[in-house]
Amino acid sequence: MSEDSNFAISIENVGKKYLIGHQRATGDGMRHALEGAMRAPLAWLRARRDQKVHQVDFWALKDISININHGEVVGILGRNGAGKSTLLKLLSRITVPTKGRIRINGRIASLLEVGTGFHPELTGRENVFLNGAILGMSRAEIVRKFDEIVAFSEIEEFLDTPVKRYSSGMYVRLAFSVAAHLDPEMLIVDEVLAVGDTSFQKKCLAKIASYAQAGRTVLFVSHNLDSVRSLCKRGVWLKDGRVNQDGKAEEVIEDYFNDIAVEKCQSLKNTEYGLSIQKVLLKNDQGRESNRFLPGEDLSVEIHYEASKNVKKPIFAVSILGSNGPCFASNMLLDGHIPDVLEGCGTITCTFRSIPLLPQNYSVKLSVRTETVSEMIIAYQEVAYFVVAGDLAEYGYKGAFDAHARYSTGTVVPHEWRLPDGSTIAVSLNRQTPALSGWER
């Protein structure tokens, strides 16, 4: 328990070191190893025992200093291997720091890995009591909240089934339900929610949001930037085991997003065909490079290539994907607009007019096929990222939909509603024809 009650969590110059072992190769193949074991088993065992393992220091976290106030909802961002899970394990007291100090002021509940604190041979019912006890709940408290826990998990039918027969999604449902009903002052949630189905994820996010609204401290790790943006006011970006940025969630997310985009815009090459994609730029209506667009704005995907050999009739395909999958695409195979040949350096641009996209994070995927379509020159992959941001109220949207836009299908095809009173209302994300404007025919 921290003596300083100003902070819920205080992390001071924390580092975590692991020793990574590397067995030095002897040069012996499998055949020689087996022959040695058969001819002189004692000598072989002695040699194995004396064989040295080369150990290397690996610092998963380096000089981390963060203070988290009571009632803050903090999103932890970073690529795989950045140190996010290690930090949460330190805060959950699963492991201890190599150096530095962590002070925690309050009761903490964490959901880091699927099935942590569950015994595979016990039933779901028995594991509720086991996991609740591990998290610090008394038996009386578990009995009092048991029905709520089961109802939230939605697995009543399988409650008396051993959890070893549960799917990973069922594990998550039960584990999160127990942790969510602990009523902690602090809740730590790792990317484990990605295992559950979409409807349960939304239910969990709503539960986490209710904790935030109640003034409790939440640490949330997710690669879903929309979830982090909607839940968190503050963001901490970890990179290579260090705090790369700490500030307002919206600003940290945008900078993190830009960093990913820069790394993705790397050279894509096929030496056999002599084609390389040097870079992919995104530009707005004014022809300026950007990764931030408004609904209804033009989006140009500018592909810079270099062809060291003549590439005849290459087929380019560009796709736009949102949080819930594909939105739209352009494929030269379908529209027939295929260049005769690529030679030297050049540019191919695909412009999507008045993009009908809701405010979300999006990615651009690119592929290049041969004239016969049978072979891939550049494999289908992400080459750029962008965000659509804007106030939907300016486009005529109103009501509860605005809060769910980030989780909806990203594309809004212009359409009309004809209501029982005979009025017809146009719905569009076109900046010249605002949606739900009450325009009637």
Side-chain angles (χ1 to χ4, degrees):
M1 184 72 71
S2 171
E3 296 176 359
D4 185 359
S5 60
N6 292 328
F7 299 115
I9 299 173
S10 178
I11 304 170
E12 302 173 11
N13 301 314
V14 164
K16 180 61 181 178
K17 180 178 73 173
Y18 293 99
L19 292 177
I20 302 176
H22 294 281
Q23 190 79 41
R24 294 187 183 277
T26 61
D28 292 339
M30 179 65 74
R31 177 181 172 184
H32 292 91
L34 290 174
E35 286 179 354
M38 294 294 291
R39 290 175 179 174
L42 291 177
W44 182 80
L45 287 171
R46 193 178 300 113
R48 293 281 295 177
R49 182 194 64 193
D50 296 337
Q51 196 173 41
K52 293 184 178 179
V53 176
H54 178 59
Q55 291 187 324
V56 177
D57 291 347
F58 173 73
W59 287 91
L61 294 174
K62 310 166 191 174
D63 301 319
I64 300 290
S65 293
I66 307 170
N67 289 322
I68 299 172
N69 297 314
H70 291 281
E72 271 197 302
V73 183
V74 183
I76 310 294
L77 305 174
R79 289 191 166 238
N80 291 334
K84 304 185 301 298
S85 295
T86 301
L87 177 60
L88 297 193
K89 287 178 180 178
L90 291 176
L91 295 176
S92 302
R93 300 188 179 96
I94 293 174
T95 185
V96 295
T98 306
K99 69 171 189 174
R101 180 171 63 172
I102 296 175
R103 295 184 292 178
I104 297 174
N105 184 16
R107 188 184 188 188
I108 206 165
S110 58
L111 184 60
L112 305 183
E113 296 179 8
V114 177
T116 301
F118 277 38
H119 193 292
E121 298 297 332
L122 300 180
T123 65
R125 184 186 303 275
E126 293 165 334
N127 271 295
V128 168
F129 285 90
L130 173 63
N131 193 237
I134 291 173
L135 290 175
M137 298 171 72
S138 66
R139 181 175 179 82
E141 187 179 1
I142 298 171
V143 170
R144 188 173 69 253
K145 297 178 180 178
F146 185 83
D147 290 341
E148 294 177 38
I149 293 171
V150 174
F152 189 91
S153 69
E154 300 175 357
I155 60 166
E156 295 94 331
E157 185 180 352
F158 307 97
L159 198 58
D160 294 309
T161 302
V163 297
K164 66 181 180 182
R165 297 193 174 96
Y166 282 15
S167 66
S168 57
M170 292 169 69
Y171 257 110
V172 167
R173 285 174 176 270
L174 197 57
F176 184 87
S177 299
V178 176
H181 288 82
L182 176 60
D183 289 334
E185 284 88 5
M186 284 164 277
L187 180 65
I188 296 177
V189 183
D190 204 345
E191 187 63 33
V192 64
L193 289 182
V195 180
D197 58 76
T198 303
S199 62
F200 190 72
Q201 285 180 28
K202 291 180 180 178
K203 188 175 180 179
C204 292
L205 291 173
K207 187 71 173 178
I208 294 171
S210 71
Y211 275 109
Q213 292 166 4
R216 296 175 186 174
T217 306
V218 179
L219 269 68
F220 183 64
V221 169
S222 178
H223 289 289
N224 187 331
L225 301 185
D226 288 323
S227 298
V228 176
R229 181 184 282 108
S230 63
L231 285 174
C232 307
K233 299 296 184 185
R234 178 182 172 189
V236 175
W237 172 13
L238 296 183
K239 188 174 184 179
D240 299 326
R242 299 181 184 273
V243 176
N244 189 67
Q245 189 175 352
D246 183 355
K248 292 181 179 179
E250 191 69 36
E251 296 174 359
V252 174
I253 289 170
E254 184 168 351
D255 290 343
Y256 174 62
F257 204 70
N258 291 340
D259 187 70
I260 296 174
V262 169
E263 290 187 22
K264 278 292 181 181
C265 286
Q266 54 187 335
S267 181
L268 306 169
K269 297 182 180 180
N270 187 316
T271 53
E272 181 183 352
Y273 286 92
L275 180 66
S276 65
I277 304 300
Q278 299 299 310
K279 58 184 176 181
V280 177
L281 303 179
L282 304 182
K283 294 187 175 181
N284 58 22
D285 319 53
Q286 288 78 40
R288 297 173 184 164
E289 187 178 344
S290 177
N291 72 329
R292 192 177 185 87
F293 297 83
L294 292 169
E297 193 173 15
D298 290 351
L299 164 65
S300 293
V301 181
E302 194 174 272
I303 305 162
H304 293 252
Y305 67 84
E306 181 179 356
S308 58
K309 303 176 183 178
N310 287 354
V311 182
K312 295 183 178 180
K313 296 188 179 297
I315 299 171
F316 282 72
V318 178
S319 302
I320 306 299
L321 293 88
S323 302
N324 289 310
C327 296
F328 48 80
S330 178
N331 193 325
M332 290 181 175
L333 180 63
L334 300 177
D335 58 46
H337 299 293
I338 304 172
D340 290 330
V341 64
L342 299 183
E343 51 184 339
C345 295
T347 303
I348 289 179
T349 302
C350 178
T351 299
F352 296 100
R353 301 292 182 189
S354 303
I355 53 174
L357 296 175
L358 292 169
Q360 283 183 18
N361 293 322
Y362 295 89
S363 62
V364 180
K365 283 192 171 184
L366 169 70
S367 69
V368 185
R369 288 181 176 273
T370 59
E371 179 183 5
T372 60
V373 196
S374 59
E375 293 184 39
M376 194 75 81
I377 301 176
I378 301 296
Y380 184 60
Q381 59 191 288
E382 293 178 337
V383 293
Y385 297 90
F386 67 95
V387 61
V388 172
D391 185 357
L392 288 179
E394 296 179 5
Y395 295 80
Y397 282 86
K398 54 187 177 181
F401 178 76
D402 190 27
H404 301 288
R406 298 190 184 281
Y407 310 105
S408 303
T409 301
T411 310
V412 177
V413 177
H415 58 282
E416 295 178 355
W417 285 106
R418 185 176 294 276
L419 304 181
D421 62 5
S423 62
T424 301
I425 303 177
V427 181
S428 170
L429 282 176
N430 191 309
R431 296 166 72 187
Q432 297 175 348
T433 307
L436 302 179
S437 60
W439 171 58
E440 300 181 7
R441 288 181 178 172

